[in-house]
Amino acid sequence: MSEAVTLRIDVWLWRARFFKTRTLSGAHVRKSGIRLSRNGQTRRVDKPGTAICVGDIVTLARGAHITTIEVLDLGIRRGPPEEAAALYRTLEVDR
């Protein structure tokens, strides 16, 4: 039986370059929360250690902007912007 590969949501948001530091990423998750959809169920997440996996849909608000993205890969490091952009696909942006 194989177990799904997961990663902390704060680490993934940092690797995908939504935040400059992991500390800022974790603080945003704690303060503002993130909506996480998996297998058709959506829940609000406010713990930076929450696990995400490939295929999850993440909705986050930054200022007046709400962005919905699909996780395509977890990545192995915080790389250049081109590498970070390959970690997700933008589904919707509300400006």
Side-chain angles (χ1 to χ4, degrees):
M1 180 171 156
S2 66
E3 193 168 313
V5 177
T6 62
L7 183 68
R8 290 174 56 112
I9 196 162
D10 63 334
V11 173
W12 187 84
L13 289 168
W14 171 69
R15 284 182 182 175
R17 294 184 164 260
F18 284 95
F19 296 94
K20 268 191 168 179
T21 67
R22 186 170 162 199
T23 301
L24 289 173
S25 174
H28 181 82
V29 173
R30 268 191 301 283
K31 182 180 176 196
S32 302
I34 302 285
R35 281 186 307 221
L36 179 64
S37 299
R38 180 181 297 152
N39 299 327
Q41 295 188 345
T42 302
R43 64 187 174 114
R44 186 176 186 279
V45 173
D46 61 2
K47 293 186 168 115
T50 300
I52 64 165
C53 58
V54 173
D56 286 353
I57 306 296
V58 177
T59 303
L60 67 144
R62 295 177 64 197
H65 305 287
I66 298 173
T67 305
T68 303
I69 53 176
E70 178 183 6
V71 178
L72 299 178
D73 192 3
L74 299 178
I76 55 171
R77 65 183 183 130
R78 179 179 165 95
E82 299 79 22
E83 189 176 310
L87 299 180
Y88 63 92
R89 176 172 59 105
T90 303
L91 300 176
E92 185 177 335
V93 178
D94 179 20
R95 297 191 185 266

